[in-house]
């Protein structure tokens, strides 16, 4: 849905600005959406919670190890959502 995409793009901006809680709440509210689950995984990686992050990655087509730099991963997710 376009609304979900817009909400996720806003959440990515929140994450980039250090507003982790706002970004996390948005991702959590869209649980089950592949992009939201990917964002959720990235956010827990940023938080330093590797186990929780890996749980969310397991729900996506991505892996924890594929993206050593979270900011690059946020950019990739943002590009995918904007396409």
């Amino acid at each position: 849905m376009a609304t979900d995409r817009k909400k996720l793009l806003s959440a990515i901006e929140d994450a980039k600005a250090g507003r982790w809680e706002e970004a996390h709440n948005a991702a959590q509210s869209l649980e089950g959406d592949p992009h939201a689950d990917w964002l959720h995984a990235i956010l827990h990686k940023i938080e330093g919670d590797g186990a929780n992050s890996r749980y969310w990655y397991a729900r996506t087509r991505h892996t924890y190890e594929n993206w050593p730099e979270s900011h690059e991963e946020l950019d990739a997710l943002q590009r995918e959502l904007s396409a």
Side-chain angles (χ1 to χ4, degrees):
M1 292 178 91
T3 303
D4 292 350
R5 190 170 293 244
K6 185 175 179 179
K7 186 174 186 176
L8 286 170
L9 286 168
S10 179
I12 292 167
E13 290 302 320
D14 285 337
K16 288 180 174 185
R19 295 184 296 270
W20 188 93
E21 188 170 342
E22 291 87 340
H24 183 259
N25 289 341
Q28 197 167 35
S29 75
L30 297 170
E31 181 179 341
D33 175 285
H35 291 107
D37 290 349
W38 185 15
L39 177 58
H40 208 155
I42 298 167
L43 292 169
H44 282 291
K45 183 189 282 187
I46 291 168
E47 181 189 30
D49 187 350
N52 203 354
S53 180
R54 283 181 172 84
Y55 166 81
W56 288 101
Y57 276 108
R59 298 173 59 136
T60 74
R61 60 183 170 84
H62 303 280
T63 66
Y64 186 92
E65 293 75 21
N66 282 355
W67 298 95
E69 297 295 331
S70 296
H71 68 277
E72 291 175 5
E73 189 172 7
L74 286 171
D75 289 344
L77 174 54
Q78 189 172 41
R79 282 191 302 274
E80 193 169 304
L81 285 165
S82 297

PDB file of all heavy atoms in Angstrom, residues 34-51:
ATOM      1  N   PRO A  34       7.275  -7.201   4.314  1.00  0.00           N
ATOM      2  CA  PRO A  34       8.702  -7.530   4.162  1.00  0.00           C
ATOM      3  C   PRO A  34       9.633  -6.338   4.363  1.00  0.00           C
ATOM      4  O   PRO A  34      10.709  -6.487   4.945  1.00  0.00           O
ATOM      5  CB  PRO A  34       8.810  -8.070   2.742  1.00  0.00           C
ATOM      6  CG  PRO A  34       7.432  -8.375   2.301  1.00  0.00           C
ATOM      7  CD  PRO A  34       6.495  -7.572   3.147  1.00  0.00           C
ATOM      8  N   HIS A  35       9.227  -5.170   3.905  1.00  0.00           N
ATOM      9  CA  HIS A  35      10.076  -3.991   4.077  1.00  0.00           C
ATOM     10  C   HIS A  35      10.095  -3.537   5.536  1.00  0.00           C
ATOM     11  O   HIS A  35      11.136  -3.119   6.041  1.00  0.00           O
ATOM     12  CB  HIS A  35       9.593  -2.853   3.171  1.00  0.00           C
ATOM     13  CG  HIS A  35       9.809  -3.128   1.725  1.00  0.00           C
ATOM     14  ND1 HIS A  35       8.777  -3.434   0.879  1.00  0.00           N
ATOM     15  CD2 HIS A  35      10.938  -3.166   0.975  1.00  0.00           C
ATOM     16  CE1 HIS A  35       9.250  -3.644  -0.329  1.00  0.00           C
ATOM     17  NE2 HIS A  35      10.569  -3.491  -0.299  1.00  0.00           N
ATOM     18  N   ALA A  36       8.952  -3.622   6.192  1.00  0.00           N
ATOM     19  CA  ALA A  36       8.894  -3.249   7.612  1.00  0.00           C
ATOM     20  C   ALA A  36       9.736  -4.205   8.451  1.00  0.00           C
ATOM     21  O   ALA A  36      10.453  -3.773   9.364  1.00  0.00           O
ATOM     22  CB  ALA A  36       7.453  -3.241   8.102  1.00  0.00           C
ATOM     23  N   ASP A  37       9.677  -5.478   8.134  1.00  0.00           N
ATOM     24  CA  ASP A  37      10.476  -6.455   8.875  1.00  0.00           C
ATOM     25  C   ASP A  37      11.963  -6.224   8.637  1.00  0.00           C
ATOM     26  O   ASP A  37      12.775  -6.371   9.559  1.00  0.00           O
ATOM     27  CB  ASP A  37      10.075  -7.881   8.494  1.00  0.00           C
ATOM     28  CG  ASP A  37       8.685  -8.251   9.001  1.00  0.00           C
ATOM     29  OD1 ASP A  37       8.112  -7.503   9.820  1.00  0.00           O
ATOM     30  OD2 ASP A  37       8.171  -9.297   8.561  1.00  0.00           O
ATOM     31  N   TRP A  38      12.330  -5.847   7.411  1.00  0.00           N
ATOM     32  CA  TRP A  38      13.725  -5.533   7.122  1.00  0.00           C
ATOM     33  C   TRP A  38      14.155  -4.309   7.934  1.00  0.00           C
ATOM     34  O   TRP A  38      15.205  -4.311   8.565  1.00  0.00           O
ATOM     35  CB  TRP A  38      13.912  -5.314   5.627  1.00  0.00           C
ATOM     36  CG  TRP A  38      15.325  -5.099   5.169  1.00  0.00           C
ATOM     37  CD1 TRP A  38      16.474  -5.353   5.857  1.00  0.00           C
ATOM     38  CD2 TRP A  38      15.733  -4.584   3.899  1.00  0.00           C
ATOM     39  NE1 TRP A  38      17.572  -5.029   5.095  1.00  0.00           N
ATOM     40  CE2 TRP A  38      17.143  -4.555   3.890  1.00  0.00           C
ATOM     41  CE3 TRP A  38      15.042  -4.151   2.782  1.00  0.00           C
ATOM     42  CZ2 TRP A  38      17.866  -4.096   2.795  1.00  0.00           C
ATOM     43  CZ3 TRP A  38      15.772  -3.704   1.685  1.00  0.00           C
ATOM     44  CH2 TRP A  38      17.170  -3.682   1.692  1.00  0.00           C
ATOM     45  N   LEU A  39      13.325  -3.272   7.941  1.00  0.00           N
ATOM     46  CA  LEU A  39      13.647  -2.088   8.740  1.00  0.00           C
ATOM     47  C   LEU A  39      13.771  -2.459  10.213  1.00  0.00           C
ATOM     48  O   LEU A  39      14.692  -2.006  10.901  1.00  0.00           O
ATOM     49  CB  LEU A  39      12.585  -1.000   8.546  1.00  0.00           C
ATOM     50  CG  LEU A  39      12.770   0.262   9.391  1.00  0.00           C
ATOM     51  CD1 LEU A  39      14.130   0.920   9.133  1.00  0.00           C
ATOM     52  CD2 LEU A  39      11.631   1.234   9.133  1.00  0.00           C
ATOM     53  N   HIS A  40      12.877  -3.292  10.686  1.00  0.00           N
ATOM     54  CA  HIS A  40      12.918  -3.733  12.080  1.00  0.00           C
ATOM     55  C   HIS A  40      14.266  -4.411  12.376  1.00  0.00           C
ATOM     56  O   HIS A  40      14.894  -4.167  13.422  1.00  0.00           O
ATOM     57  CB  HIS A  40      11.752  -4.683  12.330  1.00  0.00           C
ATOM     58  CG  HIS A  40      11.255  -4.700  13.727  1.00  0.00           C
ATOM     59  ND1 HIS A  40       9.985  -5.065  14.052  1.00  0.00           N
ATOM     60  CD2 HIS A  40      11.859  -4.414  14.908  1.00  0.00           C
ATOM     61  CE1 HIS A  40       9.821  -5.000  15.357  1.00  0.00           C
ATOM     62  NE2 HIS A  40      10.952  -4.611  15.897  1.00  0.00           N
ATOM     63  N   ALA A  41      14.725  -5.244  11.462  1.00  0.00           N
ATOM     64  CA  ALA A  41      16.017  -5.921  11.619  1.00  0.00           C
ATOM     65  C   ALA A  41      17.158  -4.913  11.685  1.00  0.00           C
ATOM     66  O   ALA A  41      18.049  -5.018  12.545  1.00  0.00           O
ATOM     67  CB  ALA A  41      16.235  -6.890  10.458  1.00  0.00           C
ATOM     68  N   ILE A  42      17.131  -3.938  10.792  1.00  0.00           N
ATOM     69  CA  ILE A  42      18.186  -2.917  10.764  1.00  0.00           C
ATOM     70  C   ILE A  42      18.200  -2.140  12.079  1.00  0.00           C
ATOM     71  O   ILE A  42      19.261  -1.870  12.654  1.00  0.00           O
ATOM     72  CB  ILE A  42      17.979  -1.948   9.585  1.00  0.00           C
ATOM     73  CG1 ILE A  42      18.059  -2.673   8.241  1.00  0.00           C
ATOM     74  CG2 ILE A  42      19.007  -0.816   9.639  1.00  0.00           C
ATOM     75  CD1 ILE A  42      17.548  -1.845   7.058  1.00  0.00           C
ATOM     76  N   LEU A  43      17.027  -1.772  12.547  1.00  0.00           N
ATOM     77  CA  LEU A  43      16.948  -0.981  13.771  1.00  0.00           C
ATOM     78  C   LEU A  43      17.522  -1.720  14.968  1.00  0.00           C
ATOM     79  O   LEU A  43      18.231  -1.129  15.794  1.00  0.00           O
ATOM     80  CB  LEU A  43      15.499  -0.569  14.030  1.00  0.00           C
ATOM     81  CG  LEU A  43      14.940   0.429  13.020  1.00  0.00           C
ATOM     82  CD1 LEU A  43      13.440   0.575  13.196  1.00  0.00           C
ATOM     83  CD2 LEU A  43      15.643   1.771  13.129  1.00  0.00           C
ATOM     84  N   HIS A  44      17.245  -3.008  15.069  1.00  0.00           N
ATOM     85  CA  HIS A  44      17.812  -3.765  16.195  1.00  0.00           C
ATOM     86  C   HIS A  44      19.316  -3.956  16.024  1.00  0.00           C
ATOM     87  O   HIS A  44      20.039  -4.020  17.017  1.00  0.00           O
ATOM     88  CB  HIS A  44      17.067  -5.082  16.392  1.00  0.00           C
ATOM     89  CG  HIS A  44      15.763  -4.886  17.086  1.00  0.00           C
ATOM     90  ND1 HIS A  44      15.667  -4.506  18.405  1.00  0.00           N
ATOM     91  CD2 HIS A  44      14.488  -4.965  16.634  1.00  0.00           C
ATOM     92  CE1 HIS A  44      14.405  -4.368  18.743  1.00  0.00           C
ATOM     93  NE2 HIS A  44      13.661  -4.639  17.675  1.00  0.00           N
ATOM     94  N   LYS A  45      19.781  -3.973  14.783  1.00  0.00           N
ATOM     95  CA  LYS A  45      21.233  -4.015  14.553  1.00  0.00           C
ATOM     96  C   LYS A  45      21.855  -2.706  15.055  1.00  0.00           C
ATOM     97  O   LYS A  45      22.880  -2.723  15.746  1.00  0.00           O
ATOM     98  CB  LYS A  45      21.545  -4.212  13.067  1.00  0.00           C
ATOM     99  CG  LYS A  45      23.040  -4.335  12.796  1.00  0.00           C
ATOM    100  CD  LYS A  45      23.352  -4.300  11.320  1.00  0.00           C
ATOM    101  CE  LYS A  45      23.058  -5.598  10.656  1.00  0.00           C
ATOM    102  NZ  LYS A  45      23.509  -5.634   9.251  1.00  0.00           N
ATOM    103  N   ILE A  46      21.230  -1.585  14.710  1.00  0.00           N
ATOM    104  CA  ILE A  46      21.723  -0.278  15.164  1.00  0.00           C
ATOM    105  C   ILE A  46      21.725  -0.209  16.686  1.00  0.00           C
ATOM    106  O   ILE A  46      22.668   0.311  17.292  1.00  0.00           O
ATOM    107  CB  ILE A  46      20.855   0.855  14.564  1.00  0.00           C
ATOM    108  CG1 ILE A  46      21.083   0.960  13.053  1.00  0.00           C
ATOM    109  CG2 ILE A  46      21.140   2.194  15.256  1.00  0.00           C
ATOM    110  CD1 ILE A  46      20.082   1.848  12.333  1.00  0.00           C
ATOM    111  N   GLU A  47      20.695  -0.754  17.287  1.00  0.00           N
ATOM    112  CA  GLU A  47      20.560  -0.753  18.750  1.00  0.00           C
ATOM    113  C   GLU A  47      21.638  -1.619  19.413  1.00  0.00           C
ATOM    114  O   GLU A  47      21.950  -1.442  20.584  1.00  0.00           O
ATOM    115  CB  GLU A  47      19.170  -1.276  19.104  1.00  0.00           C
ATOM    116  CG  GLU A  47      18.865  -1.324  20.567  1.00  0.00           C
ATOM    117  CD  GLU A  47      17.570  -2.050  20.877  1.00  0.00           C
ATOM    118  OE1 GLU A  47      17.188  -2.970  20.122  1.00  0.00           O
ATOM    119  OE2 GLU A  47      16.959  -1.712  21.892  1.00  0.00           O
ATOM    120  N   GLY A  48      22.187  -2.554  18.655  1.00  0.00           N
ATOM    121  CA  GLY A  48      23.200  -3.449  19.214  1.00  0.00           C
ATOM    122  C   GLY A  48      22.630  -4.757  19.717  1.00  0.00           C
ATOM    123  O   GLY A  48      23.316  -5.512  20.406  1.00  0.00           O
ATOM    124  N   ASP A  49      21.385  -5.035  19.377  1.00  0.00           N
ATOM    125  CA  ASP A  49      20.723  -6.272  19.789  1.00  0.00           C
ATOM    126  C   ASP A  49      20.781  -7.279  18.640  1.00  0.00           C
ATOM    127  O   ASP A  49      19.830  -7.445  17.880  1.00  0.00           O
ATOM    128  CB  ASP A  49      19.273  -5.967  20.186  1.00  0.00           C
ATOM    129  CG  ASP A  49      18.547  -7.157  20.781  1.00  0.00           C
ATOM    130  OD1 ASP A  49      19.078  -8.288  20.718  1.00  0.00           O
ATOM    131  OD2 ASP A  49      17.440  -6.960  21.307  1.00  0.00           O
ATOM    132  N   GLY A  50      21.934  -7.944  18.524  1.00  0.00           N
ATOM    133  CA  GLY A  50      22.168  -8.866  17.422  1.00  0.00           C
ATOM    134  C   GLY A  50      21.189 -10.014  17.340  1.00  0.00           C
ATOM    135  O   GLY A  50      20.739 -10.387  16.259  1.00  0.00           O
ATOM    136  N   ALA A  51      20.828 -10.584  18.473  1.00  0.00           N
ATOM    137  CA  ALA A  51      19.904 -11.725  18.464  1.00  0.00           C
ATOM    138  C   ALA A  51      18.534 -11.310  17.948  1.00  0.00           C
ATOM    139  O   ALA A  51      17.940 -11.997  17.102  1.00  0.00           O
ATOM    140  CB  ALA A  51      19.789 -12.320  19.868  1.00  0.00           C
TER     141      ALA A  51
END
